[in-house]
Amino acid sequence: MTEESETHETPALRGYELIHSYLRTLDSSPGVYRMLDDQSRVLYVGKARNLRARVSNYSRPSAQHSRRISRMISETASMMFLTTRTETEALLLEQNLIKQLKPKFNVLLRDDKSFPNIQVTTEHAFPQIRKHRGAKTEKGAYYGPFASAGAVNRTLNPLQKAFLLRNCSDSMFEGRTRPCLLYQIKRCSAPCVGYISEADYAASVRDAERFLSGKSTRVQETLAAQMAEASEAMEFERAAALRDRIRALTQVQTVQGINPQTVAEADVIALHMEGGQACVQVFFIRANQNWGNKDYYPRVGEDVEPQEVLEAFLGQFYDTKEPPRLLLLNHEIENPDLMCQALSDKLGRKVEIAVPLRGEKAELVEGAARNARESLARRMAETATQAKLLRGLAEAFALDAPPQRIEVYDNSHIMGTNAVGGMIVAGPDGFMKNQYRKYNIKGEELVPGDDFGMMKEVLTRRFTRLLKDDPDREKGLWPDLLLIDGGAGQVSAVAEIMREFGVEDVPMVGVAKGIDRDAGKEEFHRVGQRPFALRHNDPVLYFVQRLRDEAHRFAIGTHRAKRAKSQMANPLDEVPGVGAARKRALLAHFGSAKAVSRANLADLKAVDGVSAALAERIYAFFHEKG
């Protein structure tokens, strides 16, 4: 059990004196402490084997603290404590709180998405091989993680060529009467129409799973032997097909690049720090194969040590992910034994952490470190350029300071149908894609094509939520600049909406194409001011065009996805009580959903598996809708 102590009410004290006042009631239990400022905002979250000893260290002005820690202590106005049973619990709780609270003085991992896997399903006579992301709730074998969807596709596509396994859904599989295009291009063996026996298909599935488990050499040797046998028997077409499968497997290994011989399962993690910034490169090694790499840019201070950064990264990175058996690092961390214990408890088996100095493992770490160094150099160059553009934007639009958060809005629809609004966000680090938002336009009273009405709905929903989630503008969620796709009319309409919310201090600019509607001749509109333009070759103009085009791309993509989904929707899916089996029976009996909607009650009752009550429900559903 954990127990949280109450904060002390000591309004007259701050900094060292305030922290010292807590020592009277603290004991030597392990736990987590939080430092808060005078507005109760969390400044720092830390763990301790002994809370009293750790807090005592912060209470002594004579201690050799870094500038970052000294600033943190000076801003501390109160503290909170959570005691835990073990230091391992304290470590896990600390990293969880850091991710939730995002304290100002902690190392913070900002990009923490889940990773995709390859799944081979098991609940069907002819298993499906597919890309999977998210919780592993469905039965099947999972292979991963892969660093990105692209890394999955680079492995999955050749695997389909090599083993000819299906990737279609079960419902599509059941509804086929002839092979699909994948069979024609030799990417599937067409089990849906009986072109391969269940036993032969199962053998292909076993080969694919052996390959994904690291037994690629054995699989290729078996295929090579089969190719030789087919050639000797003068079955040249079968031999050519086996040759193509071997080439496909070789392509997987070639694309992966790094295929270590002595490391079966590991994450290779390397940190490079420079100029107050950090890059962590992660390579995923599974089944002696490289399943991709990804770079991360944790938020760090200028005087943070690599050991602290790497330990914080590991704790936050594996908070929601399953660690491998081995972590290879290029720096030691502060508490390796504690981290190993925490990750081992999470995985349910032993996890090792190593900093190799020689051999293949050291070469893997050096490769990751080189990638981290090069990635950080590129990012720093891009950041410098971005900072210059933001300064230029502030000057062009008469802003008080370079904007840290720009929000750009756009709508997309076809004659008012499937209308969506899109919001993209940009800042000092470029496009902030995890902050993008899409809005399905819900207004029933909107006239089709009413762009003003759509924009009003989007902004109303956006700022209603913003005023609720961050009324004091302390979380960095408020924009410093709104860019609107449109001219004076759109800007006036948006200004009116903002006045209704009592928000009149957020600058907004309308971006309208010039009289010839050519890119490069844009006019900019602000409330109560004459429109103006930037010179044709101004980098700020190109920057604004990129922002507008990204908003347009996002809105169009969202609209197309919504339209495709509506076109693929089957009205039978909306009928209560009609599941996949009954839907198939109805479609097999009547031929189409439209025919079902026109059927009379007696015909519906004649369908196998459709009871009288369900027939009445289906009939009422379509006829009540008219």
Side-chain angles (χ1 to χ4, degrees), residues 280-319:
V280 178
Q281 190 78 210
V282 184
F283 278 80
F284 301 93
I285 306 297
R286 300 293 186 275
N288 294 99
Q289 302 171 48
N290 171 27
W291 283 355
N293 63 293
K294 186 172 176 60
D295 46 6
Y296 293 87
Y297 301 91
R299 186 191 71 193
V300 298
E302 59 185 19
D303 54 4
V304 182
E305 295 299 319
Q307 295 87 342
E308 181 182 351
V309 175
L310 206 48
E311 180 169 304
F313 176 85
L314 295 180
Q316 295 172 47
F317 185 74
Y318 291 112
D319 180 53

Side-chain angles (χ1 to χ4, degrees), residues 580-605:
R582 290 193 175 105
K583 185 171 76 170
R584 283 197 298 271
L586 288 163
L587 292 174
H589 187 92
F590 292 103
S592 69
K594 182 174 285 188
V596 175
S597 70
R598 294 172 176 172
N600 60 40
L601 192 57
D603 290 337
L604 290 169
K605 290 179 180 178

Side-chain angles (χ1 to χ4, degrees), residues 115-122 129-132 136 140-146 152 155 159 205-214 286-287 289 291:
F115 295 109
N117 292 265
I118 288 178
Q119 180 192 13
V120 180
T121 61
T122 57
I129 186 169
R130 64 185 180 186
K131 178 170 58 182
H132 175 86
K136 299 174 182 177
Y142 293 87
Y143 301 91
F146 288 79
V152 172
T155 299
L159 282 182
V205 171
R206 285 194 298 273
D207 284 344
E209 291 184 318
R210 278 202 293 267
F211 185 87
L212 289 168
S213 300
R286 300 293 186 275
Q289 302 171 48
W291 283 355

Side-chain angles (χ1 to χ4, degrees), residues 179-460:
C180 68
L181 178 63
L182 288 178
Y183 172 77
Q184 306 295 336
I185 63 174
K186 299 181 181 179
R187 294 274 294 275
C188 181
S189 53
C192 55
V193 291
Y195 282 16
I196 184 173
S197 68
E198 188 173 331
D200 288 342
Y201 191 87
S204 294
V205 171
R206 285 194 298 273
D207 284 344
E209 291 184 318
R210 278 202 293 267
F211 185 87
L212 289 168
S213 300
K215 299 167 184 171
S216 54
T217 303
R218 188 186 309 173
V219 173
Q220 287 171 300
E221 288 174 351
T222 301
L223 292 175
Q226 293 175 358
M227 182 178 69
E229 291 174 5
S231 183
E232 289 177 9
M234 302 184 72
E235 297 176 359
F236 299 119
E237 187 173 343
R238 179 167 173 263
L242 289 164
R243 178 203 62 202
D244 292 342
R245 294 172 71 178
I246 294 171
R247 285 179 177 173
L249 294 182
T250 304
Q251 180 187 346
V252 175
Q253 295 165 325
T254 302
V255 168
Q256 288 170 344
I258 302 170
N259 293 288
Q261 300 300 310
T262 60
V263 181
E265 177 186 332
D267 283 353
V268 183
I269 303 173
L271 165 70
H272 182 73
M273 297 178 64
E274 185 178 337
Q277 298 187 50
C279 176
V280 178
Q281 190 78 210
V282 184
F283 278 80
F284 301 93
I285 306 297
R286 300 293 186 275
N288 294 99
Q289 302 171 48
N290 171 27
W291 283 355
N293 63 293
K294 186 172 176 60
D295 46 6
Y296 293 87
Y297 301 91
R299 186 191 71 193
V300 298
E302 59 185 19
D303 54 4
V304 182
E305 295 299 319
Q307 295 87 342
E308 181 182 351
V309 175
L310 206 48
E311 180 169 304
F313 176 85
L314 295 180
Q316 295 172 47
F317 185 74
Y318 291 112
D319 180 53
T320 56
K321 299 177 181 64
E322 186 176 285
R325 297 172 186 266
L326 176 63
L327 304 181
L328 298 176
L329 313 180
N330 71 329
H331 286 286
E332 296 284 355
I333 60 174
E334 293 179 331
N335 302 282
D337 294 339
L338 183 62
M339 183 63 70
C340 282
Q341 183 63 51
L343 296 180
S344 297
D345 291 347
K346 179 181 179 64
L347 186 62
R349 59 176 185 258
K350 188 175 181 181
V351 173
E352 295 182 39
I353 296 177
V355 183
L357 301 177
R358 61 183 65 87
E360 186 179 43
K361 292 177 181 177
E363 291 174 5
L364 290 172
V365 170
E366 174 53 36
R370 183 176 60 254
N371 275 270
R373 186 166 57 250
E374 293 170 354
S375 296
L376 184 59
R378 286 193 298 269
R379 183 179 177 88
M380 291 175 72
E382 293 167 359
T383 301
T385 302
Q386 187 79 356
K388 184 176 180 181
L389 289 171
L390 292 175
R391 289 195 298 270
L393 197 66
E395 183 178 344
F397 295 156
L399 306 179
D400 294 335
Q404 300 300 297
R405 182 184 175 99
I406 305 168
E407 293 184 358
V408 192
Y409 294 86
D410 196 8
N411 299 324
S412 183
H413 59 91
I414 293 180
M415 300 297 291
T417 62
N418 299 307
V420 296
M423 177 190 81
I424 67 123
V425 183
D429 294 328
F431 291 118
M432 302 159 63
K433 296 194 175 183
N434 62 339
Q435 298 288 312
Y436 287 16
R437 295 292 181 268
K438 60 183 179 182
Y439 298 88
N440 290 313
I441 303 299
K442 301 175 181 178
E444 297 180 356
E445 300 179 0
L446 289 177
V447 176
D450 180 4
D451 286 327
F452 287 96
M454 293 179 192
M455 184 61 68
K456 181 173 183 177
E457 179 176 333
V458 169
L459 288 169
T460 297

